[in-house]
Amino acid sequence: MKKIITLTVFFLLVLSCSDSKDGDWDDNIKLSQKEVQFSSAQNNIEISTEGTGWWIGEVSMDGEFFDLNGIDTTKENFTIEEIEFSIERKNSTEIFISMRQNPTESERVLIIGLQSGNYFDGVKITQSGN
């Protein structure tokens, strides 16, 4: 139940902050893409930012949140490696996201929540089912 509430709050934050002002905080991340569609095959994408002071606050796939403890997502380069995907921050303005082939019939949705100060944004990747 806690995951559902957390996921709902996250979606509301992303939707309410993506294209509008949140208090005095403007978009200081400036993602090159916020939504991506992948086929069921293995895919990857590089997303750039104009801002540099951001970090990854949370990562979820199909509502399951991944433990980011032990990964300092404020660093200029790091990798989050999971069975279905990997996320690599190459430098202060580039994120490389790779998703393995989706062998199931169901689509998969990967959400990467970013934060910079009191500004929240994110990347949503939808991968088709096989």
Side-chain angles (χ1 to χ4, degrees), residues 18-120:
S18 61
D19 292 320
S20 63
K21 283 184 116 178
D22 180 23
D24 292 331
W25 291 84
D26 289 326
D27 181 353
N28 52 10
I29 300 173
K30 295 184 173 74
L31 290 164
S32 62
Q33 287 184 272
K34 295 183 182 191
E35 290 199 33
V36 179
Q37 292 287 133
F38 280 167
S39 70
S40 62
Q42 181 169 335
N43 290 276
N44 56 59
I45 189 166
E46 189 166 280
I47 294 178
S48 62
T49 67
E50 288 184 31
T52 59
W54 55 267
W55 60 91
I56 294 178
E58 60 188 27
V59 175
S60 69
M61 178 174 279
D62 299 331
E64 178 184 338
F65 288 85
F66 292 89
D67 183 9
L68 299 178
N69 289 334
I71 302 172
D72 185 355
T73 65
T74 62
K75 288 188 174 183
E76 282 199 18
N77 52 46
F78 60 84
T79 302
I80 299 169
E81 190 73 40
E82 295 293 335
I83 294 170
E84 301 94 350
F85 64 88
S86 68
I87 302 165
E88 179 183 0
R89 183 174 182 174
K90 293 186 166 197
N91 55 50
S92 62
T93 61
E94 294 177 312
I95 312 166
F96 184 79
I97 304 163
S98 176
M99 289 187 72
R100 311 310 183 273
Q101 179 178 1
N102 184 359
T104 70
E105 292 181 5
S106 302
E107 74 177 16
R108 299 192 294 196
V109 179
L110 176 66
I111 296 177
I112 304 163
L114 282 75
Q115 183 177 351
S116 179
N118 198 26
Y119 181 78
F120 299 85

